[in-house]
Amino acid sequence: MELPAVSLKAIILVHWLLTVWGCMNYLFPASYAWGNFSILAVGIWAVVQRDSLDAIMMFLTGLLLTVLTDIIHVCVFYPSNDYLTDVKRFSIGMAIFSLLLKPASCYFVYQMYRERGGEYTFNIDLESSSDSNFAHYGIDTTVVTLIQCNSGCAGQRMVLLTLQCLKAVTFFASTKAV
């Protein structure tokens, strides 16, 4: 069974409305609004440049990141029952509803990415020569090597760079623990 095609404009409009409603009671800090609205601005860029793989991939990556940040915001800033008014319930309910819709939106945006000519899979080679390069030369040289040597799209480069940064953080955290 094929899912219906959803317009990128509709996805942006629904998440914009839910984010506005989620922000209307100042329950969340400004980082919630800035994070969601900036990703929606990237989505508008993806609407304007219909043939750009970078725009749609950045929008997809941003939506995935806002899932994580929205979970953190809801968990940290959820008020206790004593301070939960009707307006706060509505506001946090819309934020949770937006959070629940984001995986479906990510799926539809990924379908649009594929329609624009993106690859079906992301080939991330975790055991590449860049790992040994990182261990020997450090993260700056590895990042430059990845940018120069990677022949994939910008989204794959961003994923590889993110993985390398995570490896660096774990490496430095493990050395400080010893």
Side-chain angles (χ1 to χ4, degrees), residues 7-9 11-12 38-61 63 109 112-113 116:
S7 168
L8 189 57
K9 293 175 188 176
I11 291 171
I12 292 170
S38 62
I39 295 307
L40 293 176
V42 173
I44 292 171
W45 174 42
V47 169
V48 171
Q49 291 190 344
R50 293 188 185 277
D51 56 345
S52 173
L53 282 176
D54 289 339
I56 197 78
M57 189 62 197
M58 286 181 67
F59 182 55
L60 177 61
T61 306
L63 275 178
V109 171
M112 292 173 208
Y113 169 73
R116 291 185 183 191

Side-chain angles (χ1 to χ4, degrees), residues 90-106:
F90 177 77
S91 180
I92 204 157
M94 293 301 107
I96 291 171
F97 187 53
S98 174
L99 176 61
L100 291 174
L101 281 180
K102 281 186 182 179
S105 298
C106 288

